[in-house]
Amino acid sequence: MKPSELAAFLRSRRARITPAEVGLPTGPRRRVPGLRRDEVAQLAGASVDYYTELERGRGTQPSAQMLGALARALRLDHDERDHLYRLADRPPPAVSGASTHVQPAMLALLDRLDTTPAQIITDLHETLAQNHLARALLGEPPRRTGHAASFVYRWFTEPDTRAVYPRADHPHHSKVLVHDLRAAVARRGGDPATADMVARLLRSGPEFADLWATGDVAVRRGDRKRVNHPTLGTLDVHCQNLFSEDGRQRLQFFTAPAGSPAVDQLRLLGVIGVQDLADRAPTASDR
């Protein structure tokens, strides 16, 4: 690892970002041109002490997961992200693997969606970022790695994942998720990790195997969904997706049909926040 170079790079990237660009309050008194260290730590899910040590060139080698979180917090593009990994003596994420680096343009748009639940997911339904209303509606995603980071994988292998939707809607979601996954597999062109996930799902039970055998394919661009919430009850909402140029990431947002009860329910989300989510049944975060 090159501690001094890594430290200098982190400081330079931090200095160029304003709080408004990442959805943080500006405040009346700021002694730095960009973000403070504690703000970067907050955005990356790290402790302030840990991040401070990195910027001082005295921290331990960051994990690949932490580097990914820092790249998202600092709004790095792909070249900058790869440089960050190399400075930490970590191999940059493979192009053919999971696209877990959030594109800065998508993050910028997510930061501006502060009145509707929204999140960024991959085409394998891995949650990469959420705004506060999405966390209030759907819950924070479980901290999982490998195939279990995918909502599709958990949907067919972990029954509790389905609690987010009414039971009567489960067959519809199973079908739509499998159709969307087939499109992602083709898009990724034989990526070994994705192929392995499908192979494991085929062994998980007859539901996935039967749906996969149909050969049906359809990218999930939008849907009408009923979402279970522990306080607000069932919300009937529109779910829409905006896609990145390569199709591997999508900005997903939820709106209420005009005149429906969901209009007031979504308005209450900002008041309720995440205070009730600790008692909620496990959910996944890509819907």
Side-chain angles (χ1 to χ4, degrees), residues 94-260:
V95 174
S96 60
S99 182
T100 56
H101 176 64
V102 186
Q103 299 186 12
M106 280 203 158
L107 278 173
L109 183 54
L110 179 66
D111 291 336
R112 286 160 176 76
L113 293 176
D114 55 4
T115 60
T116 187
Q119 59 187 9
I120 299 172
I121 65 173
T122 71
D123 56 350
L124 296 181
H125 297 252
E126 303 153 311
T127 302
L128 303 180
Q130 292 178 304
N131 67 10
H132 70 288
L133 287 176
R135 289 192 296 272
L137 176 64
L138 305 169
E140 293 193 33
R143 295 183 179 276
R144 308 293 287 278
T145 59
H147 298 322
S150 164
F151 178 75
V152 182
Y153 187 82
R154 296 195 305 274
W155 179 264
F156 290 101
T157 60
E158 301 178 15
D160 286 346
T161 297
R162 301 190 177 200
V164 70
Y165 296 136
R167 183 178 295 274
D169 299 347
H170 291 180
H172 167 74
H173 290 297
S174 294
K175 181 177 67 175
V176 171
L177 287 169
V178 171
H179 295 177
D180 190 66
L181 177 61
R182 185 180 292 279
V185 170
R187 184 183 303 111
R188 288 171 176 254
D191 169 37
T194 307
D196 181 67
M197 186 175 83
V198 172
R200 290 172 182 268
L201 285 171
L202 286 169
R203 297 192 295 268
S204 69
E207 183 186 21
F208 180 87
D210 290 346
L211 288 169
W212 190 259
T214 67
D216 292 338
V217 57
V219 175
R220 193 175 197 174
R221 293 182 172 86
D223 207 351
R224 183 80 173 258
K225 299 185 179 185
R226 294 191 299 163
V227 179
N228 291 329
H229 189 276
T231 302
L232 300 177
T234 301
L235 288 77
D236 191 344
V237 296
H238 288 303
C239 174
Q240 300 294 326
N241 294 292
L242 298 177
F243 294 82
S244 62
E245 185 176 356
D246 62 5
R248 289 198 174 195
Q249 292 182 12
R250 57 191 73 171
L251 176 65
Q252 191 173 73
F253 59 97
F254 301 82
T255 59
S260 72

Side-chain angles (χ1 to χ4, degrees), residues 33-128:
L35 296 178
R36 298 192 299 262
R37 287 173 175 168
D38 63 296
E39 291 170 333
V40 176
Q42 174 189 339
L43 292 169
S47 71
V48 177
D49 289 342
Y50 176 80
Y51 181 75
T52 299
E53 289 299 292
L54 285 179
E55 278 208 6
R56 289 176 175 170
R58 297 200 295 264
T60 58
Q61 184 186 35
S63 66
Q65 182 179 8
M66 176 53 64
L67 291 170
L70 288 172
R72 290 191 291 273
L74 294 169
R75 302 302 196 257
L76 304 186
D77 62 26
H78 284 279
D79 292 336
E80 293 171 324
R81 177 206 62 183
D82 289 354
H83 184 61
L84 176 69
Y85 274 74
R86 293 187 181 103
L87 289 177
D89 286 338
R90 299 279 187 188
V95 174
S96 60
S99 182
T100 56
H101 176 64
V102 186
Q103 299 186 12
M106 280 203 158
L107 278 173
L109 183 54
L110 179 66
D111 291 336
R112 286 160 176 76
L113 293 176
D114 55 4
T115 60
T116 187
Q119 59 187 9
I120 299 172
I121 65 173
T122 71
D123 56 350
L124 296 181
H125 297 252
E126 303 153 311
T127 302
L128 303 180

